Amino acid sequence: MTDFLAELRELRAGDLPTHGGRTLAYVYDSGLSEVDEIAAAAHALASSANGLDPTAFPSLLRLENDLVGRAAGLLGGTAGTVGTVTSGGTESCLLAVLAARDARPEITAPSVVLPDTAHAAFHKAAHLFGLREIVVPVDAETFRAVPDAMAEAIDESTVLVVASAPSYAHGVVDPIPEIAAAAAARGVRMHVDACIGGWVLPYYAKLGAAVPPFDFRVPGVTSMSVDLHKYAYCAKGVSVLLHANAELRRTHYFASAAWPGYTMLNPTLQSTRSGGPLAAAWAVVNHLGEDGYLRLAQVTREAVTRIRTGVENLPGLRVLGDPDSTLIAFTAADDGFDLFTVADEMKVRGWYVQPQFAHGDSPLNLHLTITAANHGSEAAFLADLTASVASARDAGPTPVDPDVAAFVAALDPETLTAEQFAGLLAAAGLVGDAGLPERMAPINALLATAAEPLRERLLLEFVGALYTP
């Protein structure tokens, strides 16, 4: 009999490591082995239960209410604060936008006001739900939203204003009090995207860090999102969307009796929802408790401080902005090397750092998501980063074939054909069954020459090719 688990282990061996602090994006590792064991056991106990009907599975209702209450307490909620457990930060953000839109049916062409550092989930929400995006540039040096500019962008069509705590790209907290006050003055909802910071910033504050005000203690904040599969170190995917009161939440609920089956009631975008992730999150949150999260925040903060100091002291690198939390983005301080090559060199040395393309005033940079698992390996990381920068200097700039660049520049994302995309793949050396090349710098350098709409289309076509059996 085929050992499918052995086959799965073999397949997983080709993935980025999810433990050990070597993958500084996508994964959040507490460094505590028992957390995975507890999550797996709880997931198995509840994976067959269905969150579609809380009256059929009251255990899941209890778990959800417990998690929402814990999140609300952490983020300055009151007795009236309510929430919903979702599949992740994107769903939480989508529901916040949907609730705001549907609460104002008299506005026929609703809009959402966003700093240009807001998570792409809000662009997705505007796309899906038919809202106009009013994107406001952030400060070019701090990368924080500019309150006066955000206030000026609010108009009669605005149903929601968004700010971040912190923004993903640069790890900085927007000036929430000023933006929330501007939204409240116009009678508009204010959502704080604390997906990545909501479970760690409160513990930073308890450790004495100067955390800017960002939660329900700020007047005018009407909703917040916080992901438990980030710094609550729970299994994916679990997020909580909080509303200041039940009336604000009601408009992202959906009901339909207009068919011959059961009356469908959905508090989220999903109908069937496995109880597994919810139970796993509940078990981990209760296992770690207040003291456990405080310890994890402390070691994470120490790791962030050490890595940030090391990056700032490394000639040729510059940290972007003044990060408030666990995320660091750094760019090249001179033209003597290519950051895409640095990323490749780090991968050779066993580290994954995330390239971020230039956008507006934000230059090409490398992004680090630092977790508790990075504590203790900071010196090794910085030594390898130093060596990677030196190797990138020796390699020089990553060349882009002028003919290929001209071919890319001539492409129209609206009319891109399969043949053109195949020609680009061939020109980039991405043909056959070999998969991605070991070195991504040439590919990323080529993508960096493409305008953003074209880069989006090219990458969508590439993903579509990946998901072809």
PDB file of all heavy atoms in Angstrom, residues 14-17 22-24 26 339-355 366 381 384-385 388 436-441 444:
ATOM      1  N   GLY A  14      10.437  20.104  -0.038  1.00  0.00           N
ATOM      2  CA  GLY A  14      10.799  21.124  -1.007  1.00  0.00           C
ATOM      3  C   GLY A  14      10.277  22.508  -0.677  1.00  0.00           C
ATOM      4  O   GLY A  14      10.556  23.471  -1.394  1.00  0.00           O
ATOM      5  N   ASP A  15       9.501  22.625   0.411  1.00  0.00           N
ATOM      6  CA  ASP A  15       8.942  23.916   0.808  1.00  0.00           C
ATOM      7  C   ASP A  15       9.937  24.720   1.634  1.00  0.00           C
ATOM      8  O   ASP A  15      10.909  24.177   2.176  1.00  0.00           O
ATOM      9  CB  ASP A  15       7.677  23.710   1.656  1.00  0.00           C
ATOM     10  CG  ASP A  15       6.542  23.082   0.874  1.00  0.00           C
ATOM     11  OD1 ASP A  15       6.578  23.116  -0.369  1.00  0.00           O
ATOM     12  OD2 ASP A  15       5.604  22.566   1.530  1.00  0.00           O
ATOM     13  N   LEU A  16       9.653  26.017   1.767  1.00  0.00           N
ATOM     14  CA  LEU A  16      10.397  26.820   2.724  1.00  0.00           C
ATOM     15  C   LEU A  16      10.136  26.288   4.129  1.00  0.00           C
ATOM     16  O   LEU A  16       9.024  25.833   4.431  1.00  0.00           O
ATOM     17  CB  LEU A  16       9.964  28.285   2.646  1.00  0.00           C
ATOM     18  CG  LEU A  16      10.349  29.066   1.387  1.00  0.00           C
ATOM     19  CD1 LEU A  16       9.683  30.433   1.387  1.00  0.00           C
ATOM     20  CD2 LEU A  16      11.859  29.205   1.263  1.00  0.00           C
ATOM     21  N   PRO A  17      11.101  26.340   5.015  1.00  0.00           N
ATOM     22  CA  PRO A  17      10.883  25.848   6.382  1.00  0.00           C
ATOM     23  C   PRO A  17       9.921  26.749   7.143  1.00  0.00           C
ATOM     24  O   PRO A  17      10.017  27.978   7.083  1.00  0.00           O
ATOM     25  CB  PRO A  17      12.283  25.876   6.997  1.00  0.00           C
ATOM     26  CG  PRO A  17      13.037  26.892   6.207  1.00  0.00           C
ATOM     27  CD  PRO A  17      12.497  26.823   4.819  1.00  0.00           C
ATOM     28  N   ARG A  22      13.905  30.767   9.902  1.00  0.00           N
ATOM     29  CA  ARG A  22      14.673  30.994   8.672  1.00  0.00           C
ATOM     30  C   ARG A  22      13.827  31.591   7.549  1.00  0.00           C
ATOM     31  O   ARG A  22      14.366  32.128   6.589  1.00  0.00           O
ATOM     32  CB  ARG A  22      15.278  29.671   8.207  1.00  0.00           C
ATOM     33  CG  ARG A  22      16.383  29.164   9.138  1.00  0.00           C
ATOM     34  CD  ARG A  22      17.715  29.360   8.474  1.00  0.00           C
ATOM     35  NE  ARG A  22      18.841  29.200   9.392  1.00  0.00           N
ATOM     36  CZ  ARG A  22      20.086  29.448   9.055  1.00  0.00           C
ATOM     37  NH1 ARG A  22      20.363  29.868   7.826  1.00  0.00           N
ATOM     38  NH2 ARG A  22      21.066  29.316   9.915  1.00  0.00           N
ATOM     39  N   THR A  23      12.521  31.503   7.664  1.00  0.00           N
ATOM     40  CA  THR A  23      11.625  32.064   6.659  1.00  0.00           C
ATOM     41  C   THR A  23      11.003  33.320   7.238  1.00  0.00           C
ATOM     42  O   THR A  23      10.122  33.250   8.092  1.00  0.00           O
ATOM     43  CB  THR A  23      10.536  31.051   6.264  1.00  0.00           C
ATOM     44  OG1 THR A  23      11.164  29.860   5.773  1.00  0.00           O
ATOM     45  CG2 THR A  23       9.620  31.609   5.193  1.00  0.00           C
ATOM     46  N   LEU A  24      11.465  34.485   6.781  1.00  0.00           N
ATOM     47  CA  LEU A  24      11.053  35.741   7.381  1.00  0.00           C
ATOM     48  C   LEU A  24       9.915  36.387   6.601  1.00  0.00           C
ATOM     49  O   LEU A  24       9.904  37.587   6.304  1.00  0.00           O
ATOM     50  CB  LEU A  24      12.261  36.681   7.517  1.00  0.00           C
ATOM     51  CG  LEU A  24      13.201  36.286   8.664  1.00  0.00           C
ATOM     52  CD1 LEU A  24      14.295  35.341   8.185  1.00  0.00           C
ATOM     53  CD2 LEU A  24      13.821  37.498   9.328  1.00  0.00           C
ATOM     54  N   TYR A  26       5.461  35.065   5.602  1.00  0.00           N
ATOM     55  CA  TYR A  26       4.438  34.035   5.437  1.00  0.00           C
ATOM     56  C   TYR A  26       4.157  33.184   6.674  1.00  0.00           C
ATOM     57  O   TYR A  26       3.042  32.683   6.842  1.00  0.00           O
ATOM     58  CB  TYR A  26       4.771  33.075   4.277  1.00  0.00           C
ATOM     59  CG  TYR A  26       5.038  33.745   2.966  1.00  0.00           C
ATOM     60  CD1 TYR A  26       6.215  33.512   2.262  1.00  0.00           C
ATOM     61  CD2 TYR A  26       4.118  34.638   2.407  1.00  0.00           C
ATOM     62  CE1 TYR A  26       6.464  34.129   1.048  1.00  0.00           C
ATOM     63  CE2 TYR A  26       4.362  35.259   1.201  1.00  0.00           C
ATOM     64  CZ  TYR A  26       5.535  35.003   0.521  1.00  0.00           C
ATOM     65  OH  TYR A  26       5.786  35.617  -0.674  1.00  0.00           O
ATOM     66  N   LEU A 339      19.594  44.504  -4.570  1.00  0.00           N
ATOM     67  CA  LEU A 339      18.903  43.842  -3.463  1.00  0.00           C
ATOM     68  C   LEU A 339      18.302  42.500  -3.870  1.00  0.00           C
ATOM     69  O   LEU A 339      18.192  41.593  -3.047  1.00  0.00           O
ATOM     70  CB  LEU A 339      17.807  44.747  -2.902  1.00  0.00           C
ATOM     71  CG  LEU A 339      18.261  45.898  -2.002  1.00  0.00           C
ATOM     72  CD1 LEU A 339      17.067  46.752  -1.615  1.00  0.00           C
ATOM     73  CD2 LEU A 339      18.949  45.365  -0.755  1.00  0.00           C
ATOM     74  N   PHE A 340      17.895  42.364  -5.126  1.00  0.00           N
ATOM     75  CA  PHE A 340      17.386  41.063  -5.571  1.00  0.00           C
ATOM     76  C   PHE A 340      18.482  40.002  -5.447  1.00  0.00           C
ATOM     77  O   PHE A 340      18.206  38.852  -5.084  1.00  0.00           O
ATOM     78  CB  PHE A 340      16.898  41.144  -7.021  1.00  0.00           C
ATOM     79  CG  PHE A 340      15.652  41.962  -7.214  1.00  0.00           C
ATOM     80  CD1 PHE A 340      15.558  42.863  -8.258  1.00  0.00           C
ATOM     81  CD2 PHE A 340      14.561  41.818  -6.361  1.00  0.00           C
ATOM     82  CE1 PHE A 340      14.405  43.612  -8.457  1.00  0.00           C
ATOM     83  CE2 PHE A 340      13.403  42.550  -6.549  1.00  0.00           C
ATOM     84  CZ  PHE A 340      13.322  43.448  -7.593  1.00  0.00           C
ATOM     85  N   THR A 341      19.715  40.385  -5.738  1.00  0.00           N
ATOM     86  CA  THR A 341      20.830  39.457  -5.582  1.00  0.00           C
ATOM     87  C   THR A 341      21.069  39.151  -4.112  1.00  0.00           C
ATOM     88  O   THR A 341      21.386  38.000  -3.747  1.00  0.00           O
ATOM     89  CB  THR A 341      22.105  40.032  -6.225  1.00  0.00           C
ATOM     90  OG1 THR A 341      21.855  40.294  -7.606  1.00  0.00           O
ATOM     91  CG2 THR A 341      23.263  39.049  -6.112  1.00  0.00           C
ATOM     92  N   VAL A 342      20.925  40.148  -3.247  1.00  0.00           N
ATOM     93  CA  VAL A 342      21.047  39.903  -1.807  1.00  0.00           C
ATOM     94  C   VAL A 342      20.043  38.848  -1.360  1.00  0.00           C
ATOM     95  O   VAL A 342      20.374  37.927  -0.597  1.00  0.00           O
ATOM     96  CB  VAL A 342      20.863  41.211  -1.010  1.00  0.00           C
ATOM     97  CG1 VAL A 342      20.835  40.924   0.495  1.00  0.00           C
ATOM     98  CG2 VAL A 342      21.965  42.210  -1.336  1.00  0.00           C
ATOM     99  N   ALA A 343      18.801  38.969  -1.839  1.00  0.00           N
ATOM    100  CA  ALA A 343      17.778  37.980  -1.479  1.00  0.00           C
ATOM    101  C   ALA A 343      18.184  36.585  -1.945  1.00  0.00           C
ATOM    102  O   ALA A 343      18.015  35.597  -1.210  1.00  0.00           O
ATOM    103  CB  ALA A 343      16.435  38.372  -2.082  1.00  0.00           C
ATOM    104  N   ASP A 344      18.704  36.480  -3.154  1.00  0.00           N
ATOM    105  CA  ASP A 344      19.170  35.178  -3.652  1.00  0.00           C
ATOM    106  C   ASP A 344      20.314  34.637  -2.800  1.00  0.00           C
ATOM    107  O   ASP A 344      20.352  33.440  -2.467  1.00  0.00           O
ATOM    108  CB  ASP A 344      19.644  35.314  -5.105  1.00  0.00           C
ATOM    109  CG  ASP A 344      18.505  35.376  -6.105  1.00  0.00           C
ATOM    110  OD1 ASP A 344      17.354  35.078  -5.715  1.00  0.00           O
ATOM    111  OD2 ASP A 344      18.757  35.721  -7.273  1.00  0.00           O
ATOM    112  N   GLU A 345      21.240  35.509  -2.449  1.00  0.00           N
ATOM    113  CA  GLU A 345      22.382  35.072  -1.637  1.00  0.00           C
ATOM    114  C   GLU A 345      21.933  34.626  -0.246  1.00  0.00           C
ATOM    115  O   GLU A 345      22.476  33.656   0.310  1.00  0.00           O
ATOM    116  CB  GLU A 345      23.408  36.203  -1.520  1.00  0.00           C
ATOM    117  CG  GLU A 345      24.148  36.521  -2.811  1.00  0.00           C
ATOM    118  CD  GLU A 345      25.080  35.394  -3.223  1.00  0.00           C
ATOM    119  OE1 GLU A 345      25.564  34.663  -2.334  1.00  0.00           O
ATOM    120  OE2 GLU A 345      25.328  35.231  -4.436  1.00  0.00           O
ATOM    121  N   MET A 346      20.955  35.291   0.299  1.00  0.00           N
ATOM    122  CA  MET A 346      20.431  34.869   1.604  1.00  0.00           C
ATOM    123  C   MET A 346      19.761  33.497   1.503  1.00  0.00           C
ATOM    124  O   MET A 346      19.893  32.654   2.407  1.00  0.00           O
ATOM    125  CB  MET A 346      19.442  35.907   2.135  1.00  0.00           C
ATOM    126  CG  MET A 346      20.100  37.184   2.638  1.00  0.00           C
ATOM    127  SD  MET A 346      21.166  36.913   4.081  1.00  0.00           S
ATOM    128  CE  MET A 346      19.944  36.772   5.396  1.00  0.00           C
ATOM    129  N   LYS A 347      19.077  33.260   0.398  1.00  0.00           N
ATOM    130  CA  LYS A 347      18.434  31.951   0.234  1.00  0.00           C
ATOM    131  C   LYS A 347      19.473  30.844   0.116  1.00  0.00           C
ATOM    132  O   LYS A 347      19.286  29.744   0.652  1.00  0.00           O
ATOM    133  CB  LYS A 347      17.508  31.964  -0.986  1.00  0.00           C
ATOM    134  CG  LYS A 347      16.598  30.739  -1.037  1.00  0.00           C
ATOM    135  CD  LYS A 347      15.513  30.876  -2.083  1.00  0.00           C
ATOM    136  CE  LYS A 347      14.573  29.675  -2.041  1.00  0.00           C
ATOM    137  NZ  LYS A 347      13.508  29.763  -3.081  1.00  0.00           N
ATOM    138  N   VAL A 348      20.579  31.125  -0.574  1.00  0.00           N
ATOM    139  CA  VAL A 348      21.671  30.157  -0.654  1.00  0.00           C
ATOM    140  C   VAL A 348      22.165  29.804   0.749  1.00  0.00           C
ATOM    141  O   VAL A 348      22.528  28.658   1.038  1.00  0.00           O
ATOM    142  CB  VAL A 348      22.824  30.712  -1.513  1.00  0.00           C
ATOM    143  CG1 VAL A 348      24.074  29.853  -1.369  1.00  0.00           C
ATOM    144  CG2 VAL A 348      22.398  30.800  -2.976  1.00  0.00           C
ATOM    145  N   ARG A 349      22.134  30.796   1.639  1.00  0.00           N
ATOM    146  CA  ARG A 349      22.615  30.600   3.007  1.00  0.00           C
ATOM    147  C   ARG A 349      21.519  30.108   3.951  1.00  0.00           C
ATOM    148  O   ARG A 349      21.722  30.026   5.161  1.00  0.00           O
ATOM    149  CB  ARG A 349      23.229  31.908   3.521  1.00  0.00           C
ATOM    150  CG  ARG A 349      24.538  32.269   2.809  1.00  0.00           C
ATOM    151  CD  ARG A 349      24.943  33.725   3.050  1.00  0.00           C
ATOM    152  NE  ARG A 349      26.274  34.013   2.491  1.00  0.00           N
ATOM    153  CZ  ARG A 349      26.501  34.278   1.217  1.00  0.00           C
ATOM    154  NH1 ARG A 349      25.485  34.290   0.348  1.00  0.00           N
ATOM    155  NH2 ARG A 349      27.728  34.511   0.777  1.00  0.00           N
ATOM    156  N   GLY A 350      20.340  29.804   3.386  1.00  0.00           N
ATOM    157  CA  GLY A 350      19.287  29.190   4.180  1.00  0.00           C
ATOM    158  C   GLY A 350      18.271  30.133   4.777  1.00  0.00           C
ATOM    159  O   GLY A 350      17.497  29.732   5.651  1.00  0.00           O
ATOM    160  N   TRP A 351      18.198  31.398   4.302  1.00  0.00           N
ATOM    161  CA  TRP A 351      17.245  32.368   4.811  1.00  0.00           C
ATOM    162  C   TRP A 351      16.337  32.832   3.679  1.00  0.00           C
ATOM    163  O   TRP A 351      16.796  33.064   2.560  1.00  0.00           O
ATOM    164  CB  TRP A 351      17.946  33.600   5.374  1.00  0.00           C
ATOM    165  CG  TRP A 351      18.967  33.329   6.430  1.00  0.00           C
ATOM    166  CD1 TRP A 351      20.305  33.127   6.252  1.00  0.00           C
ATOM    167  CD2 TRP A 351      18.737  33.253   7.843  1.00  0.00           C
ATOM    168  NE1 TRP A 351      20.927  32.927   7.455  1.00  0.00           N
ATOM    169  CE2 TRP A 351      19.988  33.002   8.463  1.00  0.00           C
ATOM    170  CE3 TRP A 351      17.606  33.374   8.658  1.00  0.00           C
ATOM    171  CZ2 TRP A 351      20.130  32.870   9.841  1.00  0.00           C
ATOM    172  CZ3 TRP A 351      17.743  33.252  10.023  1.00  0.00           C
ATOM    173  CH2 TRP A 351      18.990  32.995  10.612  1.00  0.00           C
ATOM    174  N   TYR A 352      15.055  33.016   3.979  1.00  0.00           N
ATOM    175  CA  TYR A 352      14.159  33.629   2.997  1.00  0.00           C
ATOM    176  C   TYR A 352      13.793  35.020   3.481  1.00  0.00           C
ATOM    177  O   TYR A 352      13.191  35.194   4.548  1.00  0.00           O
ATOM    178  CB  TYR A 352      12.877  32.823   2.784  1.00  0.00           C
ATOM    179  CG  TYR A 352      11.942  33.517   1.817  1.00  0.00           C
ATOM    180  CD1 TYR A 352      12.129  33.388   0.447  1.00  0.00           C
ATOM    181  CD2 TYR A 352      10.911  34.341   2.274  1.00  0.00           C
ATOM    182  CE1 TYR A 352      11.299  34.064  -0.448  1.00  0.00           C
ATOM    183  CE2 TYR A 352      10.084  35.012   1.391  1.00  0.00           C
ATOM    184  CZ  TYR A 352      10.280  34.867   0.032  1.00  0.00           C
ATOM    185  OH  TYR A 352       9.468  35.543  -0.853  1.00  0.00           O
ATOM    186  N   VAL A 353      14.188  36.034   2.705  1.00  0.00           N
ATOM    187  CA  VAL A 353      13.767  37.414   2.945  1.00  0.00           C
ATOM    188  C   VAL A 353      12.934  37.834   1.742  1.00  0.00           C
ATOM    189  O   VAL A 353      13.184  37.403   0.614  1.00  0.00           O
ATOM    190  CB  VAL A 353      14.966  38.350   3.173  1.00  0.00           C
ATOM    191  CG1 VAL A 353      15.729  37.940   4.427  1.00  0.00           C
ATOM    192  CG2 VAL A 353      15.912  38.353   1.969  1.00  0.00           C
ATOM    193  N   GLN A 354      11.954  38.686   1.968  1.00  0.00           N
ATOM    194  CA  GLN A 354      10.935  38.958   0.950  1.00  0.00           C
ATOM    195  C   GLN A 354      11.224  40.236   0.176  1.00  0.00           C
ATOM    196  O   GLN A 354      11.227  41.328   0.758  1.00  0.00           O
ATOM    197  CB  GLN A 354       9.563  39.068   1.624  1.00  0.00           C
ATOM    198  CG  GLN A 354       8.400  39.203   0.669  1.00  0.00           C
ATOM    199  CD  GLN A 354       7.080  39.205   1.432  1.00  0.00           C
ATOM    200  OE1 GLN A 354       6.899  39.953   2.373  1.00  0.00           O
ATOM    201  NE2 GLN A 354       6.164  38.347   1.010  1.00  0.00           N
ATOM    202  N   PRO A 355      11.471  40.152  -1.131  1.00  0.00           N
ATOM    203  CA  PRO A 355      11.645  41.377  -1.922  1.00  0.00           C
ATOM    204  C   PRO A 355      10.315  42.119  -2.072  1.00  0.00           C
ATOM    205  O   PRO A 355       9.257  41.508  -2.262  1.00  0.00           O
ATOM    206  CB  PRO A 355      12.130  40.863  -3.283  1.00  0.00           C
ATOM    207  CG  PRO A 355      12.583  39.448  -3.047  1.00  0.00           C
ATOM    208  CD  PRO A 355      11.723  38.948  -1.936  1.00  0.00           C
ATOM    209  N   LEU A 366      13.926  44.963   0.933  1.00  0.00           N
ATOM    210  CA  LEU A 366      13.749  43.610   1.444  1.00  0.00           C
ATOM    211  C   LEU A 366      13.013  43.686   2.773  1.00  0.00           C
ATOM    212  O   LEU A 366      13.314  44.535   3.618  1.00  0.00           O
ATOM    213  CB  LEU A 366      15.102  42.907   1.625  1.00  0.00           C
ATOM    214  CG  LEU A 366      15.916  42.712   0.349  1.00  0.00           C
ATOM    215  CD1 LEU A 366      17.228  41.991   0.652  1.00  0.00           C
ATOM    216  CD2 LEU A 366      15.126  41.943  -0.709  1.00  0.00           C
ATOM    217  N   PHE A 381      22.049  35.466  11.453  1.00  0.00           N
ATOM    218  CA  PHE A 381      21.339  36.141  10.369  1.00  0.00           C
ATOM    219  C   PHE A 381      22.144  37.326   9.868  1.00  0.00           C
ATOM    220  O   PHE A 381      22.328  37.510   8.652  1.00  0.00           O
ATOM    221  CB  PHE A 381      19.959  36.603  10.855  1.00  0.00           C
ATOM    222  CG  PHE A 381      19.230  37.463   9.859  1.00  0.00           C
ATOM    223  CD1 PHE A 381      18.502  36.882   8.830  1.00  0.00           C
ATOM    224  CD2 PHE A 381      19.289  38.849   9.929  1.00  0.00           C
ATOM    225  CE1 PHE A 381      17.843  37.666   7.891  1.00  0.00           C
ATOM    226  CE2 PHE A 381      18.638  39.640   8.999  1.00  0.00           C
ATOM    227  CZ  PHE A 381      17.913  39.049   7.978  1.00  0.00           C
ATOM    228  N   ASP A 384      25.237  36.371   7.872  1.00  0.00           N
ATOM    229  CA  ASP A 384      24.898  35.938   6.516  1.00  0.00           C
ATOM    230  C   ASP A 384      24.423  37.108   5.662  1.00  0.00           C
ATOM    231  O   ASP A 384      24.668  37.145   4.444  1.00  0.00           O
ATOM    232  CB  ASP A 384      23.832  34.843   6.566  1.00  0.00           C
ATOM    233  CG  ASP A 384      24.413  33.486   6.958  1.00  0.00           C
ATOM    234  OD1 ASP A 384      25.629  33.294   6.788  1.00  0.00           O
ATOM    235  OD2 ASP A 384      23.653  32.629   7.431  1.00  0.00           O
ATOM    236  N   LEU A 385      23.728  38.071   6.278  1.00  0.00           N
ATOM    237  CA  LEU A 385      23.318  39.252   5.519  1.00  0.00           C
ATOM    238  C   LEU A 385      24.541  40.054   5.081  1.00  0.00           C
ATOM    239  O   LEU A 385      24.613  40.531   3.937  1.00  0.00           O
ATOM    240  CB  LEU A 385      22.387  40.116   6.369  1.00  0.00           C
ATOM    241  CG  LEU A 385      21.865  41.395   5.712  1.00  0.00           C
ATOM    242  CD1 LEU A 385      21.078  41.076   4.449  1.00  0.00           C
ATOM    243  CD2 LEU A 385      21.002  42.192   6.688  1.00  0.00           C
ATOM    244  N   SER A 388      26.075  38.265   2.257  1.00  0.00           N
ATOM    245  CA  SER A 388      25.232  38.350   1.060  1.00  0.00           C
ATOM    246  C   SER A 388      25.379  39.695   0.374  1.00  0.00           C
ATOM    247  O   SER A 388      25.415  39.776  -0.870  1.00  0.00           O
ATOM    248  CB  SER A 388      23.767  38.103   1.445  1.00  0.00           C
ATOM    249  OG  SER A 388      23.581  36.781   1.914  1.00  0.00           O
ATOM    250  N   LEU A 436      10.901  27.117 -11.055  1.00  0.00           N
ATOM    251  CA  LEU A 436      11.609  28.386 -10.944  1.00  0.00           C
ATOM    252  C   LEU A 436      13.110  28.151 -10.890  1.00  0.00           C
ATOM    253  O   LEU A 436      13.570  27.153 -10.347  1.00  0.00           O
ATOM    254  CB  LEU A 436      11.157  29.121  -9.683  1.00  0.00           C
ATOM    255  CG  LEU A 436       9.721  29.637  -9.675  1.00  0.00           C
ATOM    256  CD1 LEU A 436       9.381  30.207  -8.301  1.00  0.00           C
ATOM    257  CD2 LEU A 436       9.509  30.686 -10.751  1.00  0.00           C
ATOM    258  N   PRO A 437      13.867  29.110 -11.416  1.00  0.00           N
ATOM    259  CA  PRO A 437      15.326  28.986 -11.313  1.00  0.00           C
ATOM    260  C   PRO A 437      15.779  29.193  -9.878  1.00  0.00           C
ATOM    261  O   PRO A 437      15.055  29.762  -9.050  1.00  0.00           O
ATOM    262  CB  PRO A 437      15.830  30.105 -12.227  1.00  0.00           C
ATOM    263  CG  PRO A 437      14.724  31.107 -12.250  1.00  0.00           C
ATOM    264  CD  PRO A 437      13.455  30.320 -12.144  1.00  0.00           C
ATOM    265  N   GLU A 438      16.978  28.728  -9.575  1.00  0.00           N
ATOM    266  CA  GLU A 438      17.525  28.923  -8.237  1.00  0.00           C
ATOM    267  C   GLU A 438      17.716  30.403  -7.937  1.00  0.00           C
ATOM    268  O   GLU A 438      17.534  30.846  -6.805  1.00  0.00           O
ATOM    269  CB  GLU A 438      18.865  28.189  -8.110  1.00  0.00           C
ATOM    270  CG  GLU A 438      18.747  26.673  -8.064  1.00  0.00           C
ATOM    271  CD  GLU A 438      18.039  26.204  -6.812  1.00  0.00           C
ATOM    272  OE1 GLU A 438      18.284  26.785  -5.743  1.00  0.00           O
ATOM    273  OE2 GLU A 438      17.229  25.265  -6.908  1.00  0.00           O
ATOM    274  N   ARG A 439      18.090  31.159  -8.940  1.00  0.00           N
ATOM    275  CA  ARG A 439      18.331  32.587  -8.776  1.00  0.00           C
ATOM    276  C   ARG A 439      17.161  33.368  -9.364  1.00  0.00           C
ATOM    277  O   ARG A 439      16.874  33.277 -10.557  1.00  0.00           O
ATOM    278  CB  ARG A 439      19.622  32.986  -9.474  1.00  0.00           C
ATOM    279  CG  ARG A 439      20.858  32.310  -8.904  1.00  0.00           C
ATOM    280  CD  ARG A 439      21.516  33.202  -7.911  1.00  0.00           C
ATOM    281  NE  ARG A 439      22.609  32.558  -7.194  1.00  0.00           N
ATOM    282  CZ  ARG A 439      23.355  33.185  -6.288  1.00  0.00           C
ATOM    283  NH1 ARG A 439      23.111  34.445  -6.006  1.00  0.00           N
ATOM    284  NH2 ARG A 439      24.311  32.544  -5.662  1.00  0.00           N
ATOM    285  N   MET A 440      16.482  34.146  -8.507  1.00  0.00           N
ATOM    286  CA  MET A 440      15.322  34.912  -8.957  1.00  0.00           C
ATOM    287  C   MET A 440      15.667  36.344  -9.322  1.00  0.00           C
ATOM    288  O   MET A 440      14.813  37.076  -9.836  1.00  0.00           O
ATOM    289  CB  MET A 440      14.258  34.900  -7.863  1.00  0.00           C
ATOM    290  CG  MET A 440      13.524  33.579  -7.724  1.00  0.00           C
ATOM    291  SD  MET A 440      12.615  33.136  -9.228  1.00  0.00           S
ATOM    292  CE  MET A 440      11.410  34.463  -9.306  1.00  0.00           C
ATOM    293  N   ALA A 441      16.905  36.795  -9.053  1.00  0.00           N
ATOM    294  CA  ALA A 441      17.252  38.192  -9.326  1.00  0.00           C
ATOM    295  C   ALA A 441      16.985  38.591 -10.778  1.00  0.00           C
ATOM    296  O   ALA A 441      16.412  39.670 -11.020  1.00  0.00           O
ATOM    297  CB  ALA A 441      18.701  38.462  -8.939  1.00  0.00           C
ATOM    298  N   ASN A 444      13.164  38.966 -11.163  1.00  0.00           N
ATOM    299  CA  ASN A 444      12.651  40.121 -10.429  1.00  0.00           C
ATOM    300  C   ASN A 444      13.106  41.437 -11.057  1.00  0.00           C
ATOM    301  O   ASN A 444      12.343  42.415 -11.102  1.00  0.00           O
ATOM    302  CB  ASN A 444      13.089  40.054  -8.968  1.00  0.00           C
ATOM    303  CG  ASN A 444      12.292  39.037  -8.178  1.00  0.00           C
ATOM    304  OD1 ASN A 444      11.106  38.841  -8.427  1.00  0.00           O
ATOM    305  ND2 ASN A 444      12.933  38.385  -7.227  1.00  0.00           N
TER     306      ASN A 444
END
